[in-house]
Amino acid sequence: MSELNELYQEVILEHNKNPRNFGEIKDANRTAEGNNPLCGDQLKLYLRIEDNIIKDISFVGQGCAISKASASMMTQAVKNKTCEEAEKLFSEFHKMVTGKLDPETEENSLGKLKVFAGVLEFPARVKCASLSWHTLHAALNNEKMASTE
Amino acid sequence: MRQDLGLKLLDSSPKKPFDVERIRADFPVLSQNMNGKPLAYLDNAASAQVPKVVIERIHEYLTKEHANIHRGVYYLSQKATTAYESAREKIKRFINAREAEECIFVRGCTEAINLVAYSFGRRFIENGDEIVLSQMEHHANIIPWQTIAEEKGARLRIIPINERGELVLEEFENLLNERTKIVAITHVSNSLGTVNPIKQIISIAHKFGIPVCVDGAQAIPHFRVDVQEIDADFYAFSGHKMFGPTGIGVLYGKRKWLEEMPPYQTGGGMIRRVTFEKTTFAPIPEKFEAGTPAIMGAIGLGAAVDYLNSIDFEAASEYEKELLEYATEQISNIEGVRIIGTAKEKASVLSFVIENIHPHDIGTILDQQGIAIRAGHHCAQPVMDFFKIPATARASFAFYNTKQEVDRLIEAIKKTVEIFS
């Protein structure tokens, strides 16, 4: 179970149970939808961006524990960040879960998000962790849809 | 004395118990570990494992018999042709087709259904016609029909299912009319395990003069199918679900239909005469086997049929039933678990969901325990929609699975519940 513990860490299980920023934002001025056709996970992001800053962000959707926890922690991580800072986090997160960035030895601003490094050992689950980030990336680029395929 | 004699007679009459350990020894893949635990392979509805005799037969073919079939004037080609055609003969006997020519080799069940949809559809389906399917179909028995229906301006009519995952047969007859050109239906549901009363369905359709195409992919590995007895017009199945290799499958079709249907693909090996003005086609089965077929696959599938004939297939079916009953009983005792598909007649498929735990998380945790199951929509999204769930976790058994493996499955599910509690 040692590897499992690396994937289903307490913080991930907790965010799965009590996702933060879950629900619709009424005054959102940017939305994007993400889906993972492989497993049917669906996610919708709501953002309120003012002066290039993500003032508010939330999500709705259904998915596994990994995708739900990742979305929850993503919204916390990028709230009140500039769009560029959020994009940088997206890029670092993406590199981490695909094995191109070692968060322990290389410089990064991932902070708590490092908890998802373990997903690397579970290739079938990488897309679960990155769905919300791909959707954020789409929203920041004014695209309506993101897909992990 | 008399009593003794009586007992002796009684002793000799019951069937020998099914020896699962002896069967397991026939499947090399089963003896390995996965993630440091003995492999419990419970994803047989996706693909079954292959017995040693099939592996050896393929090895022998590649080592000693390979050449392209038909038209070869040399010894090796004739040997390959004989092996390929004798595999067709084995299939014919296994499903009790009238003639070997009615058994077309295809890539798999999906290609078999595509063949019928496009070829039968092109010839017989017209604007305004109707095709009857059911709510429990695999995507492979939906999309080909949807595609030909769109092309021809025909429409799909759907037989509903009930909460247990059984067809609502009373509705079926109401769907049939003079515009119905074909009924395409599964014998056994891959996501629910439901065994449909296929003989009855076919007989109802035949009352209206409507042919029936049966998706038999999930039936063939679990019990004897006699295509003449059920009177199927078409019966499609895959080799890799019945302990043969991937890349080979069979479409059984009644001669009278196959002869009237145009080729599905064209090319080498399926013609009588070709000029730039006109081509005349070879008779069945060659008409439907354009290009070099999966010779190795067909021979491997023939060996899988030999294997199934060599074991007591009826006893194996019974054993699987016991296994399913045991697993169903055990899993029902776990709080929060709900079985999806509770039909009275089921093949060994156990689909389930756990409250507040996504099937993919179940799949990953079970994988770490060495247990291979499938999690997802099982290419049956209309079934998921009906039950208002995104996905299920599915354990599916073969006759080489054991009660101990079921126990491990149950333990691992309990552990999953614990992790997420």
Side-chain angles (χ1 to χ4, degrees):
Chain A
M1 293 296 278
S2 62
E3 275 195 339
L4 255 192
N5 292 339
E6 257 166 52
L7 181 61
Y8 291 104
Q9 294 193 36
E10 207 47 55
V11 54
I12 291 182
L13 292 171
E14 201 274 319
H15 272 268
N16 172 52
K17 252 191 186 169
N18 309 299
R20 318 296 198 276
N21 302 309
F22 191 80
E24 209 173 306
I25 299 175
K26 292 283 174 256
D27 56 351
N29 56 12
R30 201 81 67 84
T31 62
E33 283 175 51
N35 73 82
N36 182 347
L38 209 66
C39 59
D41 282 2
Q42 282 172 343
L43 179 100
K44 187 166 182 183
L45 281 186
Y46 296 85
L47 293 89
R48 187 161 54 82
I49 300 176
E50 284 167 19
D51 303 327
N52 200 40
I53 290 169
I54 302 171
K55 287 286 190 189
D56 202 359
I57 178 166
S58 74
F59 77 103
V60 295
Q62 56 179 10
C64 61
I66 306 301
S67 86
K68 217 199 264 177
S70 176
S72 171
M73 293 178 73
M74 183 273 286
T75 57
Q76 283 190 318
V78 302
K79 205 184 259 190
N80 292 318
K81 293 270 190 327
T82 66
C83 294
E84 289 72 29
E85 285 166 338
E87 279 283 14
K88 185 167 170 277
L89 267 183
F90 159 73
S91 161
E92 288 181 358
F93 187 89
H94 192 253
K95 281 185 187 151
M96 174 180 72
V97 296
T98 51
K100 293 177 190 116
L101 182 150
D102 181 346
E104 297 305 329
T105 58
E106 291 167 71
E107 198 193 312
N108 64 79
S109 0
L110 287 164
K112 279 188 206 163
L113 298 170
K114 280 192 271 189
V115 73
F116 288 99
V119 82
L120 189 57
E121 302 300 321
F122 299 82
R125 309 304 300 276
V126 168
K127 285 172 178 173
C128 309
S130 55
L131 176 63
S132 58
W133 287 94
H134 279 289
T135 314
L136 172 74
H137 178 67
L140 294 174
N141 289 280
N142 268 315
E143 287 159 16
K144 286 282 172 213
M145 294 291 289
S147 169
T148 54
E149 291 302 292
Chain B
M1 284 305 275
R2 206 167 263 257
Q3 240 176 351
D4 281 347
L5 191 65
L7 278 175
K8 228 178 192 175
L9 280 174
L10 269 179
D11 274 345
S12 62
S13 57
K15 271 190 270 177
K16 270 186 296 177
F18 185 71
D19 187 354
V20 66
E21 286 310 321
R22 202 182 53 99
I23 293 283
R24 284 181 74 80
D26 294 335
F27 291 82
V29 87
L30 296 178
S31 57
Q32 68 184 309
N33 282 356
M34 183 168 83
N35 293 318
K37 307 271 168 57
L39 168 67
Y41 186 75
L42 306 179
D43 194 20
N44 295 285
S47 199
Q49 297 298 346
V50 178
K52 223 163 24 199
V53 284
V54 172
I55 301 166
E56 281 164 4
R57 182 67 191 91
I58 291 172
H59 183 263
E60 183 186 296
Y61 164 73
L62 290 175
T63 315
K64 295 179 189 154
E65 298 165 45
H66 174 67
N68 209 334
I69 55 165
H70 301 142
R71 298 172 311 283
V73 293
Y74 50 93
Y75 174 74
L76 205 56
S77 171
Q78 278 153 20
K79 207 168 170 185
T81 305
T82 306
Y84 179 74
E85 289 305 330
S86 92
R88 197 192 305 279
E89 189 64 39
K90 286 172 187 178
I91 293 289
K92 177 224 148 185
R93 283 200 297 271
F94 188 63
I95 61 170
N96 193 31
R98 273 172 215 84
E99 316 166 53
E101 289 76 6
E102 294 178 317
C103 302
I104 316 287
F105 280 126
V106 289
R107 202 150 49 86
C109 192
T110 295
E111 190 176 54
I113 297 170
N114 272 275
L115 190 162
V116 182
Y118 289 107
S119 172
F120 180 94
R122 198 184 279 171
R123 172 81 172 74
F124 294 106
I125 295 173
E126 284 165 18
N127 189 32
D129 282 346
E130 296 178 355
I131 300 161
V132 172
L133 316 177
S134 89
Q135 178 86 35
M136 69 168 76
E137 298 312 312
H138 185 284
H139 295 166
N141 203 25
I142 299 175
I143 312 166
W145 301 109
Q146 197 168 45
T147 307
I148 194 74
E150 270 169 25
E151 233 174 87
K152 293 285 193 164
R155 69 169 179 148
L156 305 182
R157 306 289 306 271
I158 311 301
I159 312 168
I161 57 174
N162 63 24
E163 285 296 323
R164 288 193 299 274
E166 295 162 328
L167 292 175
V168 184
L169 272 192
E170 302 78 63
E171 299 284 328
F172 172 50
E173 199 158 335
N174 296 334
L175 292 174
L176 304 176
N177 60 60
E178 68 284 353
R179 303 257 52 167
T180 316
K181 284 298 149 74
I182 193 162
V183 174
I185 188 132
T186 192
H187 196 164
V188 173
S189 157
N190 76 306
S191 57
L192 302 165
T194 313
V195 180
N196 288 322
I198 204 68
K199 197 175 166 181
Q200 191 189 352
I201 291 166
I202 293 171
S203 126
I204 293 170
H206 283 179
K207 271 201 308 195
F208 291 78
I210 303 161
V212 179
C213 175
V214 183
D215 170 355
Q218 299 292 341
I220 282 274
H222 297 298
F223 48 80
R224 280 271 175 205
V225 173
D226 180 329
V227 292
Q228 289 194 72
E229 198 237 329
I230 61 174
D231 202 20
D233 297 275
F234 301 99
Y235 199 95
F237 56 98
S238 290
H240 71 99
K241 292 202 200 307
M242 56 183 289
F243 317 101
T246 54
I248 189 75
V250 175
L251 172 69
Y252 159 81
K254 282 182 183 167
R255 175 179 279 277
K256 68 165 180 180
W257 292 115
L258 294 176
E259 280 187 341
E260 280 198 59
M261 284 157 52
Y264 166 58
Q265 292 177 348
T266 53
M270 50 82 69
I271 56 96
R272 193 167 266 154
R273 174 89 182 108
V274 178
T275 67
F276 284 113
E277 286 71 38
K278 174 92 186 142
T279 294
T280 47
F281 300 114
I284 62 167
E286 281 82 19
K287 181 170 89 174
F288 290 106
E289 293 181 2
T292 298
I295 307 168
M296 177 186 86
I299 292 168
L301 179 56
V305 168
D306 287 343
Y307 179 75
L308 289 174
N309 288 333
S310 77
I311 67 169
D312 185 344
F313 197 33
E314 277 68 33
S317 293
E318 277 307 307
Y319 172 79
E320 272 185 27
K321 248 188 197 150
E322 282 166 31
L323 214 53
L324 177 70
E325 269 166 32
Y326 179 66
T328 305
E329 198 185 293
Q330 294 296 312
I331 206 171
S332 304
N333 294 332
I334 307 174
E335 214 184 294
V337 172
R338 175 180 156 216
I339 298 174
I340 303 296
T342 47
K344 279 189 207 87
E345 290 297 323
K346 272 184 77 171
S348 45
V349 168
L350 188 60
S351 253
F352 60 96
V353 291
I354 309 179
E355 219 176 312
N356 297 326
I357 308 178
H358 193 281
H360 282 140
D361 296 315
I362 305 172
T364 296
I365 292 171
L366 265 53
D367 170 45
Q368 293 305 301
Q369 304 298 304
I371 302 167
I373 63 150
R374 191 148 289 253
H377 52 60
H378 315 296
C379 296
Q381 286 181 333
V383 172
M384 302 300 124
D385 292 345
F386 176 82
F387 287 98
K388 299 188 175 61
I389 47 177
T392 77
R394 181 189 72 182
S396 53
F397 309 103
F399 48 66
Y400 45 60
N401 290 124
T402 64
K403 273 195 168 177
Q404 289 80 352
E405 288 176 321
V406 173
D407 290 338
R408 285 178 55 203
L409 169 73
I410 300 298
E411 278 316 302
I413 294 172
K414 285 181 181 161
K415 186 156 217 157
T416 310
V417 173
E418 203 176 289
I419 290 176
F420 280 85
S421 67

